[in-house]
Amino acid sequence: MIDVDLAIVGGGPAGLSTALHVHAAAPATRMIVLEAERYPRDKICAGGIGARGLRVLERLGVAVDCPRVPIDAIALRLGGDTIVTREPGLAVVVRRIEFDHALARAALARGIDVRDGMAVEAIELGDDAAVLGIAGGERVRARAIVGADGVGGIVRRATGFPRGELRAQVVELDTPGAPGDAPRDTIVFDLTARDLRGYAWDFPTVVAGEPLMCRGAYVLHHLGADSPRERVAAYLAARGVATGGKLKQFAERGYEPGAPIARPRVLLVGEAAGIDIATGEGIAQALEYGALAGPYLARALAADDLRFASWRGHVARHHVGWQLRLRHVAYRMFYGAHRDALERMMPRLTGLFRVAIQDFAGVPMSKLAIARGAGQLLAAIVHERARD
């Protein structure tokens, strides 16, 4: 039996960020990070990280040493328009197989007990502790558990959280460049294929030193009779991109305002708690979840108050919480009955896009820029109503 104060289940960005921030707030905390796979383990993910997420780690003095593609612009294809917004140092694109491994090494270098190949198979919650059963027979007893094990993780399943309704499917593959690709400092979101009920993307990436393009689609819920793989393969074929049968598919869970993300002795972070359902952005938000959870857990452990009743409200009051709620509203509006009107309005909202891009980059937003964006939105709404 391994006895600890805190067991973090999941060794991705959310779990490792939580561990790093707990360690920064309370270095004496007895803590273990349990990762089911062996590093370096792959994770299907486009790999875009807004610079906001990297700044979360920089504040701890953590530098993640792995290959990356610098991003200075986002292009949004919408109907007959392409909206390009530039912001130097906006983001990077990484490979999760490299990024997560490097982040785990950074945690180990600070003395955090990160153990891979430790798949949790069972969880028993008691009045005084939680006991985790590990594949192979080991057991971990912890005062509290952090669920950072993603959409299909055992923590949600074994500790009584509801399944949740906001799901998405993601399909992706890596290909060589193609005619018509944007410059390699630009990530592209393509919303022209309306039947996707989501978007397609092109992200520049580097695989084994070779510059490639990560292409895929983020699809809300499902596509009816068509599988996401088949629909995305058809979309890419229409662009002259052959898939070669190499499409990879995985699921994501969206943040649902009001849904539980904690219970006594169990706290959820990252995708286990829910990410941005409108775009599927998750890595920077996972790192932010950890930055919130670290000091929160340190205080709760010190006070021996492990009910975590205030965790949902704590998240809601901070940047990641209000951003997730805002994206939830955007998802309901854009993928609902107002899609046509919103598409017509969006080319007029360049100021609002710049505010959103600066938030993605972690750049302080001026009140003047926000006011200009709000003014553009109001003018676009008036124009649209006059059109009707």
Side-chain angles (χ1 to χ4, degrees):
M1 181 75 75
I2 302 169
D3 276 294
V4 294
D5 296 313
L6 186 65
I8 299 174
V9 183
L16 293 168
S17 176
T18 299
L20 286 162
H21 284 89
V22 169
H23 183 267
T29 303
R30 298 174 305 148
M31 176 172 52
I32 188 169
V33 179
L34 302 168
E35 166 56 40
E37 306 296 331
R38 293 282 185 185
Y39 295 112
R41 85 284 190 273
D42 205 1
K43 161 72 174 173
I44 304 170
C45 176
I49 309 178
R52 178 186 78 247
L54 299 179
R55 289 186 171 90
V56 168
L57 298 176
E58 288 169 1
R59 288 194 285 271
L60 290 180
V62 174
V64 183
D65 183 15
C66 71
R68 60 187 65 192
V69 179
I71 300 298
D72 297 316
I74 290 180
L76 185 66
R77 292 176 182 154
L78 197 69
D81 296 292
T82 298
I83 304 167
V84 180
T85 306
R86 301 195 68 84
E87 179 69 40
L90 168 66
V92 298
V93 175
V94 300
R95 310 291 294 183
R96 288 289 298 277
I97 190 171
E98 296 163 339
F99 181 84
D100 291 12
H101 192 194
L103 188 56
R105 290 197 301 267
L108 284 164
R110 298 201 170 193
I112 297 170
D113 188 0
V114 181
R115 303 194 191 188
D116 58 359
M118 296 282 281
V120 177
E121 293 187 328
I123 299 174
E124 299 175 11
L125 292 177
D127 293 335
D128 301 319
V131 176
L132 295 79
I134 311 297
E138 290 187 84
R139 303 176 80 202
V140 174
R141 180 166 49 219
R143 293 171 60 199
I145 301 171
V146 172
D149 49 347
V151 62
I154 189 171
V155 176
R156 285 189 68 100
R157 289 186 283 110
T159 59
F161 289 91
R163 181 179 183 274
E165 296 299 324
L166 293 181
R167 297 287 186 118
Q169 294 291 320
V170 178
V171 182
E172 72 172 27
L173 78 162
D174 300 316
T175 80
D181 282 345
R184 284 189 63 80
D185 71 342
T186 303
I187 56 177
V188 178
F189 296 90
D190 187 341
L191 292 101
T192 56
R194 293 282 294 269
D195 65 317
L196 278 177
R197 200 165 187 261
Y199 63 86
W201 77 72
D202 295 319
F203 281 20
T205 190
V206 175
V207 181
E210 181 182 1
L212 297 176
M213 295 296 293
C214 178
R215 309 184 194 273
Y218 176 79
V219 182
L220 289 160
H221 301 301
H222 57 78
L223 287 169
D226 293 336
S227 77
R229 287 175 185 259
E230 292 168 351
R231 181 61 190 87
V232 173
Y235 165 82
L236 292 173
R239 294 182 54 201
V241 177
T243 66
K246 297 179 181 178
L247 283 167
K248 300 174 285 187
Q249 183 174 339
F250 65 102
E252 290 191 343
R253 177 195 305 280
Y255 177 81
E256 299 179 46
I261 55 173
R263 59 169 301 179
R265 299 195 183 276
V266 183
L267 181 147
L268 303 180
V269 296
E271 194 171 40
I275 60 171
D276 167 17
I277 190 61
T279 70
E281 181 194 1
I283 305 175
Q285 292 165 352
L287 297 170
E288 283 192 274
Y289 267 116
L292 280 185
Y296 181 91
L297 286 161
R299 291 191 297 269
L301 288 164
D304 197 27
D305 181 1
L306 303 176
R307 295 169 296 169
F308 302 142
S310 62
W311 175 236
R312 190 176 73 188
H314 187 70
V315 171
R317 288 191 299 273
H318 288 78
H319 175 270
V320 68
W322 65 254
Q323 184 192 64
L324 287 168
R325 293 197 307 279
L326 184 63
R327 301 281 183 87
H328 184 266
V329 171
Y331 144 79
R332 292 176 63 87
M333 292 179 63
F334 191 77
Y335 294 110
H338 303 293
R339 172 78 178 258
D340 289 340
L342 288 169
E343 283 199 4
R344 288 192 296 267
M345 291 166 55
M346 288 173 77
R348 304 188 189 98
L349 305 180
T350 54
L352 202 59
F353 279 127
R354 177 153 298 282
V355 170
I357 295 305
Q358 289 178 336
D359 180 55
F360 186 64
V363 175
M365 295 175 289
S366 71
K367 292 181 180 179
L368 179 59
I370 294 172
R372 284 174 177 167
Q376 286 185 343
L377 178 60
L378 180 60
I381 292 170
V382 170
H383 183 275
E384 188 62 28
R385 286 181 176 175
R387 179 184 183 276
D388 294 339

